Amino acid sequence: MSLYPPPQAPAPASQDLALRTIAHISDLHFGKVDCATLPALTAAITAAKPDVVAVSGDLTQRAKSREFSAARKFLDTLPKPQIIVPGNHDVPLYNILKRWRSPLKNYRHYISDDLEPFFADQEIAILGINTARSLTFKDGRINAVQVANACRRLTEHPESAIRIVVTHHPFDSVDQARTRDIVGRGSMAMAGFAGCGIDVILAGHLHTSRISNSAARYHLPGYSALFIQAGTATSIRQRGETNAWNLLRVERDAIAVDCFTWQAGEFSVAKTDRFVKKSDGWTIRTTEP
Ligand SMILES: [Fe+2]
Ligand SMILES: [Fe+2]
């Protein structure tokens, strides 16, 4: 029997007039997946009919060929286009030679040779940035060239298009004083992103679902982006939360985020957060329920 039967899940709870929808999944961790979640995730995402699927890294547990092969088979069941970035688990940990000589060889072979995947139309512009490094085992890093390139590519499109960056490592965590979980050179990157009006940053890594405003951590006058962090969609490596993923419904100056969680053998909407864009950036409007 196929692991991926045809989708039969119900449509998402709310589909109100979004101009674009983005399914955001993260931390699949093939090698440590709960197999029951896979066909359910395909069904739920297919039913949502997203314009883009964003995958924010850690596709595998140990960057092995068989894990990447399984990840590739799964990704092929999801709608396209897909914006995928690697995570720290997609770089070999124990094979030192591979870690230094060709850290993303398997990722490039099975997933994509493009480490800056990009999609844009009249409504959204979305770019993936690789924050996984050989030098920093668990932590990630972003550099000035990546930030400059992101700003150049994301501003080539209509002023009204919502500008979205996808990274594995997050720019924020629950504890304001804790910087260990945050991508290296995050402050430099946020100053650059403020300069080119990045609206949303999608990330993973922490295996918890969370949305916050950048202004709470990065004090940049007149600027507040949305940090949207997805939990682990399919992995048994949970951090006190069930498996989850997000569906973003994007309008010009408003974004709703449905958080789908794994409940009773299917993914269903547990919470919807709504945000609006004002003169000083993105701010929360309502949370349901
Ligand atoms: Fe992870
Ligand atoms: Fe990670």
Side-chain angles (χ1 to χ4, degrees):
M1 193 179 109
S2 169
L3 192 58
Y4 307 118
Q8 292 179 339
S14 42
Q15 283 271 21
D16 43 23
L17 298 175
L19 290 171
R20 294 290 180 268
T21 55
I22 300 165
H24 174 207
I25 62 176
S26 195
D27 296 79
L28 306 177
H29 285 285
F30 275 86
K32 290 281 183 188
V33 295
D34 175 353
C35 289
T37 60
L38 298 175
L41 184 59
T42 297
I45 292 178
T46 303
K49 296 186 174 69
D51 296 288
V52 179
V53 175
V55 186
S56 53
D58 278 0
L59 302 165
T60 66
Q61 180 63 16
R62 284 288 167 246
K64 293 178 178 169
S65 296
R66 65 173 181 271
E67 295 173 349
F68 275 117
S69 175
R72 167 43 60 204
K73 283 194 183 83
F74 175 71
L75 292 170
D76 287 344
T77 71
L78 301 180
K80 296 176 182 60
Q82 299 174 355
I83 299 293
I84 309 172
V85 295
N88 51 300
H89 277 263
D90 300 320
V91 175
L93 181 62
Y94 299 120
N95 189 327
I96 301 299
L97 209 59
K98 278 188 181 170
R99 183 172 180 86
W100 288 97
R101 280 196 179 162
S102 51
L104 291 173
K105 184 179 176 188
N106 274 346
Y107 179 89
R108 287 177 181 273
H109 177 72
Y110 288 98
I111 305 302
S112 176
D113 205 26
D114 185 359
L115 298 180
E116 293 185 337
F118 181 69
F119 170 86
D121 63 14
Q122 290 294 306
E123 309 298 342
I124 56 172
I126 177 167
L127 177 79
I129 298 177
N130 171 28
T131 57
R133 299 288 189 269
S134 299
L135 190 62
T136 55
F137 283 84
K138 184 180 170 199
D139 304 331
R141 198 169 172 85
I142 189 167
N143 64 43
V145 173
Q146 290 175 305
V147 173
N149 189 43
C151 283
R152 179 180 59 76
R153 296 186 76 178
L154 291 168
T155 53
E156 282 172 347
H157 297 274
E159 183 78 16
S160 58
I162 300 294
R163 295 166 181 164
I164 302 167
V165 163
V166 184
T167 61
H168 176 61
H169 294 85
F171 286 74
D172 196 17
S173 67
V174 176
D175 186 346
Q176 283 294 311
R178 185 177 163 97
T179 56
R180 250 195 76 193
D181 296 331
I182 294 176
V183 66
R185 303 205 73 196
S187 294
M188 173 279 298
M190 288 309 296
F193 290 162
C196 64
I198 301 302
D199 293 290
V200 177
I201 298 173
L202 304 179
H205 185 57
L206 300 179
H207 295 204
T208 51
S209 305
R210 183 168 183 262
I211 306 178
S212 57
N213 296 95
S214 69
R217 182 179 289 270
Y218 303 93
H219 305 296
L220 298 159
Y223 178 69
S224 188
L226 288 180
F227 293 138
I228 301 179
Q229 197 174 294
T232 169
T234 56
S235 172
I236 59 173
R237 301 179 79 250
Q238 295 160 355
R239 301 279 185 268
E241 284 187 11
T242 186
N243 295 112
W245 63 282
N246 292 323
L247 182 70
L248 282 71
R249 292 178 283 117
V250 179
E251 297 173 47
R252 290 229 164 78
D253 290 319
I255 296 175
V257 183
D258 298 323
C259 181
F260 285 70
T261 60
W262 181 240
Q263 307 169 46
E266 66 177 15
F267 283 100
S268 49
V269 178
K271 188 172 80 145
T272 298
D273 291 306
R274 297 175 190 276
F275 305 88
V276 289
K277 190 176 188 179
K278 298 186 173 172
S279 58
D280 57 351
W282 288 89
T283 184
I284 191 157
R285 195 168 72 187
T286 58
T287 295
E288 310 154 11

